[in-house]
Amino acid sequence: MAVIDGKVLLTHLVSMEHLSEAEVLGLVSRGLSLKNSGAYLPLNQQSFVTNLFFENSTRTHKSFEVAEKKLGLDVIDFNADTSSVNKGETLYDTVLTMNALGVEVCVIRHSEVDYYKELIESPTITASIVNGGDGSGQHPSQSLLDLMTIYEEFGTFEGLKICIAGDLTHSRVAKSNMHILKRLGAQLYFSGPAEWHSIEFESYGDYVAIDDIIEELDVLMLLRVQHERHGKGEGFSKEAYHSAYGLTQERYDKLKSSAILMHPAPVNRDVEIADHLVESSKSRIVAQMTNGVYVRMAILEAILAGRRELQ
Ligand code: CP
């Protein structure tokens, strides 16, 4: 991985912790330039990519697909339910097969944390791996689109007061963002149910009650309550969660006029955020989705350039 003449070169993208600040800022800047200029040239040589999604997804899957098509890549369709996964094929063997067919980039979402390690360490697999989310581990393309959205608004990360609020334990978005936001100079806070906060967050920012910090924030980053990752009996009623931890109209009114609110989506309406605030003036939730296309174009460009120039 490298930045050469302002151009980011990657071999894989699996964790935000593997990226330098220069690489992150380079990808954010390229995403913004692709969005604002519209001046992107489709690649002029055939490159096959595939999207291997073993967990549900709307945004990540479809925005990678749009990004791939805008770049002129050949997208190989894959559906886990109709593939040989149902005959016992392992993830490793699915990727080994795609690699053998000539696929250069595999975008993968899988429930197993760190699933990508055996793929990037394999002596046989040369395809680049882009992590579209590994369980409660990392979600680097979501983090990059979040950073692009913040940078688009404020032009810096230095000194911004950012609160990541909600289901911290199960959130790959929180874990991807906390490392990089701290490295880029933001002042981080965490909020939400105490049972979903743990020691792993302590070195990145203070744990606070949302009502004690909301008036000072530049960015309120809400997290989805991840019912699918909860144990039996874990969780709250919709009303109890919303009233204690969610963004109500009363809390929204306390945000600074310059503050923005974000959420990776899908949103549990009236849980993390009141239904009518999802598209409110301080919300950047829709902008995050749009930015996802452009930052994913920047990621794919960096991977394809890295494959040609780093090997
Ligand atoms: N934010 C996000 O990862 O959404 P999807 O699960 O729909 O991809």
Side-chain angles (χ1 to χ4, degrees):
M1 300 200 283
V3 183
I4 297 173
D5 295 334
K7 193 164 85 170
V8 181
L9 305 175
L10 300 176
T11 43
H12 304 284
L13 176 65
V14 294
S15 169
M16 291 303 286
E17 293 172 45
H18 297 178
L19 293 179
S20 68
E21 284 93 275
E23 287 163 344
V24 168
L25 293 173
L27 290 167
V28 166
S29 165
R30 181 64 182 148
L32 282 167
S33 140
L34 287 163
K35 180 179 180 182
N36 295 329
S37 72
Y40 54 91
L41 293 175
L43 301 166
N44 55 10
Q45 69 186 90
Q46 187 172 53
S47 292
F48 293 111
V49 300
T50 192
N51 302 311
L52 310 176
F53 278 67
F54 297 88
E55 275 195 333
N56 298 339
S57 170
T58 304
R59 278 144 288 272
T60 310
H61 192 170
K62 293 303 151 190
S63 63
F64 263 115
E65 204 170 303
V66 172
E68 289 154 359
K69 289 184 176 176
K70 277 179 178 275
L71 289 172
L73 297 166
D74 283 312
V75 185
I76 304 302
D77 193 32
F78 174 83
N79 180 342
D81 292 336
T82 55
S83 74
S84 287
V85 169
N86 278 337
K87 294 185 255 176
E89 181 177 271
T90 62
L91 173 63
Y92 184 89
D93 283 337
T94 303
V95 177
L96 186 69
T97 304
M98 292 293 174
N99 187 79
L101 300 181
V103 169
E104 289 192 50
V105 184
C106 295
V107 179
I108 304 175
R109 172 171 288 188
H110 200 278
S111 59
E112 188 183 321
V113 173
D114 292 346
Y115 73 78
Y116 49 79
K117 284 191 175 166
E118 67 166 347
L119 304 176
I120 64 177
E121 286 165 9
S122 162
T124 316
I125 293 172
T126 55
S128 294
I129 305 301
V130 177
N131 181 11
D134 60 309
S136 57
Q138 284 277 312
H139 195 348
S141 66
Q142 177 71 44
S143 178
L144 287 163
L145 77 86
D146 290 343
L147 296 175
M148 177 174 160
T149 307
I150 294 170
Y151 195 81
E152 186 175 42
E153 192 76 29
F154 298 101
T156 185
F157 300 98
E158 191 73 44
L160 292 180
K161 290 189 173 183
I162 301 178
C163 181
I164 306 179
D167 190 350
L168 296 161
T169 303
H170 304 99
S171 175
R172 52 196 175 207
V173 177
K175 288 161 202 164
S176 304
N177 278 330
M178 67 185 183
H179 291 270
I180 187 61
L181 283 170
K182 187 169 182 194
R183 280 197 278 153
L184 292 171
Q187 188 174 345
L188 281 186
Y189 301 90
F190 296 99
S191 188
E195 48 272 66
W196 292 338
H197 178 263
S198 66
I199 194 163
E200 80 174 299
F201 301 101
E202 279 179 5
S203 53
Y204 296 96
D206 291 339
Y207 176 58
V208 292
I210 190 157
D211 293 315
D212 291 344
I213 197 70
I214 195 147
E215 291 166 64
E216 296 176 38
L217 295 177
D218 297 297
V219 180
L220 175 60
M221 188 179 284
L222 301 163
L223 301 173
R224 182 172 69 83
V225 176
Q226 304 207 17
H227 301 288
E228 74 276 21
R229 300 192 204 282
H230 293 167
K232 206 168 173 217
E234 193 177 355
F236 299 81
S237 74
K238 193 172 164 173
E239 296 75 20
Y241 185 93
H242 187 61
S243 139
Y245 310 108
L247 188 65
T248 58
Q249 181 68 51
E250 193 184 353
R251 291 189 177 116
Y252 180 90
D253 291 340
K254 289 183 183 164
L255 285 164
K256 290 194 288 192
S257 59
S258 58
I260 62 169
L261 69 93
M262 300 172 64
H263 189 305
V267 171
N268 292 308
R269 288 175 183 256
D270 289 328
V271 181
E272 301 99 36
I273 176 170
D275 182 11
H276 68 281
L277 297 177
V278 171
E279 294 159 69
S280 59
S281 62
K282 291 174 189 164
S283 170
R284 296 295 176 273
I285 296 171
V286 175
Q288 285 174 270
M289 297 177 204
T290 303
N291 288 346
V293 170
Y294 296 101
V295 97
R296 287 174 173 126
M297 288 174 76
I299 292 166
L300 291 162
E301 276 186 345
I303 294 259
L304 292 166
R307 292 178 65 77
R308 282 150 187 64
E309 294 179 40
L310 291 176
Q311 288 166 2

